[in-house]
Amino acid sequence: MRLNDFQIAKNFNLMELQCPCCHRVMTHPRLVAALQSLRDLLERPMVITSGYRCAEHNRAVGGASASRHMKGLAADVSVPKELQPELCDMARRAGFSRAISYPARSFVHLEVGYE
């Protein structure tokens, strides 16, 4: 078994959320629950392009200094630009507090709150 290679939800493995540079991972149960809820609404797989980020990786990718990725409260998912408005609406129904569309970069940023 590889580091972080285990299921954390029906359709998600912890490895999908680990930092690509150091393989550390931190994720909040609310993020995992919202991801699974969104996956259930979509009824098709989702590709997580960014989950947890260590401070070094966050700086390298130009992330915000207080990025929720560094707290395990955010994930980015690959979505074609024409489907992003629909996914953002579904994300809010699934429990995300924010869904930010990045059409030019083909992903949506998803966040859950601290509460």
Side-chain angles (χ1 to χ4, degrees), residues 14-50:
L14 187 61
M15 287 177 61
E16 294 176 88
L17 294 168
Q18 72 186 6
C19 182
C21 75
C22 63
H23 306 290
R24 286 180 284 186
V25 66
M26 176 189 331
T27 189
H28 196 284
R30 225 175 3 267
L31 176 65
V32 175
L35 284 167
Q36 185 60 56
S37 180
L38 179 57
R39 167 64 175 80
D40 291 343
L41 287 170
L42 281 172
E43 297 180 331
R44 62 182 180 261
M46 296 186 323
V47 176
I48 297 172
T49 59
S50 184

Side-chain angles (χ1 to χ4, degrees), residues 9 14 36 45 49 65 79 84-85 104 109 111:
L14 187 61
Q36 185 60 56
T49 59
S65 61
V79 184
Q84 289 185 17
H109 172 82
E111 292 183 7

Side-chain angles (χ1 to χ4, degrees), residues 80-93:
K81 68 180 178 180
E82 63 274 6
L83 300 177
Q84 289 185 17
E86 179 184 2
L87 186 115
C88 287
D89 289 340
M90 292 175 90
R92 289 181 189 92
R93 286 184 295 177

Side-chain angles (χ1 to χ4, degrees), residues 52-114:
Y52 174 73
R53 296 180 192 156
C54 69
E56 182 178 318
H57 184 68
N58 191 62
R59 277 190 300 278
V61 299
S65 61
S67 173
R68 292 208 174 182
H69 285 276
M70 296 190 306
K71 299 178 185 329
L73 294 166
D76 298 337
V77 295
S78 179
V79 184
K81 68 180 178 180
E82 63 274 6
L83 300 177
Q84 289 185 17
E86 179 184 2
L87 186 115
C88 287
D89 289 340
M90 292 175 90
R92 289 181 189 92
R93 286 184 295 177
F96 287 98
S97 56
R98 287 180 78 188
I100 304 170
S101 180
Y102 289 86
R105 295 176 59 199
S106 299
F107 77 91
V108 170
H109 172 82
L110 303 168
E111 292 183 7
V112 292
Y114 291 105

